């Protein structure tokens, strides 16, 4: 079924096989998954328990001589109204009527079945699945009354036809229609539609597949919503956020980064390199120091500067992260740069104010020293004149700079 899915790219129903875990016969239902470019990127598969289809067929027959068999396009028995486990998966292509039945050139015939019993058979198609449903009545049961009354034979043949048609309609309602709805939902989702959910109808197995698909779509919608919120935050931030290849080629840059690099919103990044945001000397530093450090430790962070398109140097606080694959090889570098121009201006202003305070402080200390020196000189002069000192000794703690007589 995988080869058929790859060949057609459409919803596929495989051949019956026995499950390794459950030991029951199942038929794989495979739904293709496509990306936004309508390329096949995978598939979702689910097993359909065909033994339950056999049980459904068993309830449809009314006598022991009746037999209903479902055959796949490859000529294998998918389900049977009796001895289900014995005949499922049997290749009946060697039967005389099988090829004509698969070619669509046979609708009613007489032959012996897989169990060797002679029966009169009728056939009908199951849409979407391309299965063949054949129903037969035991010849002994059918022809014994027919020998007595031809009308009764005709009536029984009509009943066979109605039985086949009714079963076909029932299979279409319980299996084909829900499967077709699942396939249509999968195709619409693959084409890019969002918010779709598959109707949970049909047999228990098909309904379970639809419910699981809906849960997967719920989780996918939540993931997409979270991704969109994150993308909006990245685009709205004033920090420059960029992702580049190891050679510096830009892979992504947010709105703030585009403004810094002079790129219009939505403009192609083909041929744009992060080198244009650095001076030659700074780019050499990034290549020889910052990037190797990020590769070695996982990240690098320090103050740096970027070049605006007008040549201005913009001081930034920069973080560089090395993004590696499972093999440890660097695939991308992610960089976050925050403009710290105002912070640098505040630091410069504060440094000027501190320098002015230092000069004022030094000037104040010099004036106090000069006052003490003058007091000492006045006292020395008065001592030479034989007069008492005018000021207390400058070394005394009592000296506060006030004019005070010693006596």
């Amino acid at each position: 079924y995988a080869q058929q899915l790859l060949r057609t790219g459409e919803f596929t129903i495989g051949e019956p096989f026995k499950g390794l875990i459950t030991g029951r016969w199942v038929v794989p239902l495979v739904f293709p998954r496509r990306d936004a470019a309508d390329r096949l990127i995978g598939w979702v598969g689910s097993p359909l328990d065909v033994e339950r289809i056999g049980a459904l067929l068993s309830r449809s027959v009314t006598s022991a001589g009746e037999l209903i068999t479902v055959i796949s396009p490859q000529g294998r028995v998918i389900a049977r109204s009796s001895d289900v486990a014995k005949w499922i998966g049997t290749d009946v292509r060697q039967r005389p009527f099988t090829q004509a039945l698969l070619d669509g050139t046979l609708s009613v015939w007489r032959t012996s079945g897989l169990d060797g019993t002679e029966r009169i058979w009728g056939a009908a198609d199951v849409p979407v699945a391309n299965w063949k449903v054949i129903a037969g009545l035991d010849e002994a049961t059918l022809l014994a009354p027919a020998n007595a009354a031809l009308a009764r034979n005709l009536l029984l043949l009509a009943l066979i036809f109605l039985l086949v048609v009714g079963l076909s309609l029932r299979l279409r309602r319980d299996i084909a229609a829900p499967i077709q709805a699942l396939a249509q939902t999968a195709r619409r989702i693959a084409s890019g539609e969002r918010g779709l959910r598959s109707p949970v109808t049909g047999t228990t197995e098909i309904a379970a597949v639809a419910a699981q698909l809906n849960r997967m779509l719920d989780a996918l919608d939540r993931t997409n919503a979270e991704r969109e919120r994150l993308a909006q935050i990245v685009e709205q931030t004033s920090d420059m956020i960029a992702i580049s290849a190891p050679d510096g080629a830009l892979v992504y840059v947010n709105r703030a980064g585009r403004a810094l690099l002079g790129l219009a919103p939505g403009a192609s990044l083909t041929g744009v390199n992060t080198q244009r945001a650095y001076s030659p000397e700074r780019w050499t530093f990034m290549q020889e120091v910052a990037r190797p450090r990020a590769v070695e430790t996982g990240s690098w962070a320090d103050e740096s500067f970027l070049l605006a398109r007008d040549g201005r140097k913009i001081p930034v606080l920069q973080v560089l992260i090395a993004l590696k694959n499972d093999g440890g090889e660097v695939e991308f570098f992610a960089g976050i740069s925050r403009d710290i121009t105002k912070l640098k201006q505040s630091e410069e202003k504060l440094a000027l104010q501190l320098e002015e305070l230092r000069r004022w402080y030094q000037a104040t200390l010099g004036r106090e020293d000069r006052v003490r020196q003058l007091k000492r000189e006045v006292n020395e002069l008065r001592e030479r004149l034989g007069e008492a000192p005018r000021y207390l000794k400058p070394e005394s703690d009592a000296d506060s700079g006030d004019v005070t007589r010693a006596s």
Side-chain angles (χ1 to χ4, degrees), residues 115-312:
D115 56 2
T117 303
E118 287 285 333
R119 289 185 176 86
I120 300 297
W121 301 89
D125 295 326
V126 178
V128 179
N130 293 325
W131 293 344
K132 293 286 184 178
V133 179
I134 59 175
L137 287 177
D138 182 6
E139 185 177 16
T141 303
L142 179 64
L143 296 182
N147 293 330
L150 181 59
R152 186 178 177 185
N153 282 337
L154 294 176
L155 178 60
L156 291 175
L157 288 174
L159 290 176
I160 293 174
F161 178 76
L162 292 176
L163 177 63
V164 171
V165 172
L167 180 61
S168 177
L169 293 175
R170 184 170 181 178
L171 289 175
R172 178 178 178 85
R173 182 195 65 191
D174 294 343
I175 298 178
I179 290 176
Q180 190 172 13
L182 276 172
Q184 183 179 6
T185 301
R187 283 194 295 268
R188 293 176 63 186
I189 293 172
S191 66
E193 293 189 46
R194 296 178 60 180
L196 296 177
R197 297 297 181 269
S198 177
V200 183
T201 57
T203 63
T204 302
E205 293 78 7
I206 297 177
V209 173
Q212 182 61 35
L213 176 62
N214 290 340
R215 287 192 291 270
M216 182 186 71
L217 294 175
D218 290 340
L220 182 62
D221 284 348
R222 289 193 297 269
T223 301
N224 288 335
E226 292 173 358
R227 185 182 296 111
E228 289 173 358
R229 286 194 294 269
L230 178 59
Q232 186 176 12
I233 292 173
V234 170
E235 281 296 317
Q236 294 297 329
T237 182
S238 59
D239 296 343
M240 174 182 174
I241 300 178
I243 300 175
S244 63
D247 62 357
L250 267 180
V251 177
Y252 167 81
V253 63
N254 66 346
R255 185 171 60 181
R258 286 179 177 271
L260 177 67
L261 298 174
L263 298 173
S268 173
L269 298 179
T270 302
V272 181
N273 196 291
T274 52
Q275 183 177 357
R276 67 190 294 177
Y278 298 93
S279 66
E281 297 80 7
R282 195 62 188 176
W283 177 248
T284 300
F285 173 83
M286 296 299 294
Q287 290 290 86
E288 297 180 354
V289 179
R291 286 194 169 197
R293 181 65 60 82
V295 172
E296 179 182 355
T297 64
S299 65
W300 168 86
D302 202 351
E303 290 187 9
S304 183
F305 63 86
L306 301 176
L307 287 181
R309 297 305 295 165
D310 58 5
R312 291 181 298 109

Side-chain angles (χ1 to χ4, degrees), residues 332-379:
F332 302 101
F333 285 99
I336 304 174
S337 301
R338 169 163 293 184
D339 188 345
I340 56 174
T341 300
K342 291 184 179 180
L343 177 62
K344 286 297 183 181
Q345 291 174 348
S346 298
E347 290 179 351
E348 292 176 359
K349 183 177 180 180
L350 180 60
L352 291 174
Q353 291 174 346
L354 290 175
E355 178 62 22
E356 181 66 22
L357 180 61
R358 188 189 65 79
R359 288 197 300 269
W360 181 85
Y361 177 71
Q362 291 296 332
T364 301
L365 289 179
R367 184 173 59 195
E368 290 292 334
D369 291 341
R370 181 57 181 162
V371 169
R372 292 190 184 96
Q373 179 65 27
L374 289 174
K375 287 179 180 179
R376 282 194 291 268
E377 292 177 357
V378 169
N379 286 342

